[in-house]
Amino acid sequence: MRQSKESAFREFAEARMGHLFRSACLLTGGDTHLAEDLVQETLGKMYAAWGRVSRVGNPAAYAQTVLVRCYLGHRRRKSAGERPSGELPDRAGQSAGDATLRMTLVEALRGLPPKDRAVIVLRYWEDRSVTETADALHVSSAAVRTRSTRALARLREQLQDSVGELAAP
């Protein structure tokens, strides 16, 4: 019995790890080390509760919710502001096309407050509804709509014409 639960969790973790990591990278503004930590923390919490979680209708959505909560919990810690370096090494060059566009978007996301970033990632990256996003963040639907409107306006202000130039063929 225990063996089958462990193998079921292992299959789940292997199938979802990449998606969780990509979402965590967006939440953290491109901090891959923190993203890896968040994914490990998420999977650890999922493993501890796997008996309950495996009976849930959609454990993948539950894992995304746990990831967002781990991220928001990390942001509340005093040590969350510590950074080993202010600059990202080995930035993509202008000829990278899609990579440059992604880096520009990640840098713009990094400029948003953590809760706004979480709303944008859940609504537009994870393609969740307003209600699902509100449930994941424990806020009202009106708060999600307000935060997403303001966050998108901030992103537009930060990006101005740079996305159009980068996305042009």
Side-chain angles (χ1 to χ4, degrees), residues 84-106:
S85 172
E87 297 292 321
L88 290 174
D90 299 325
R91 298 184 68 188
Q94 288 291 47
S95 62
D98 288 342
T100 303
L101 176 60
R102 279 192 299 273
M103 290 298 294
T104 302
L105 291 173
V106 166

Side-chain angles (χ1 to χ4, degrees), residues 16-27:
R16 296 300 302 168
M17 194 176 309
H19 186 76
L20 288 169
F21 179 73
R22 286 187 296 277
S23 294
C25 282
L26 289 172
L27 285 170

Side-chain angles (χ1 to χ4, degrees), residues 30-47:
D31 185 344
T32 57
H33 299 291
L34 177 56
E36 289 171 352
D37 291 345
L38 291 173
V39 169
Q40 289 302 314
E41 185 177 349
T42 298
L43 291 175
K45 288 181 179 188
M46 292 289 293
Y47 180 77

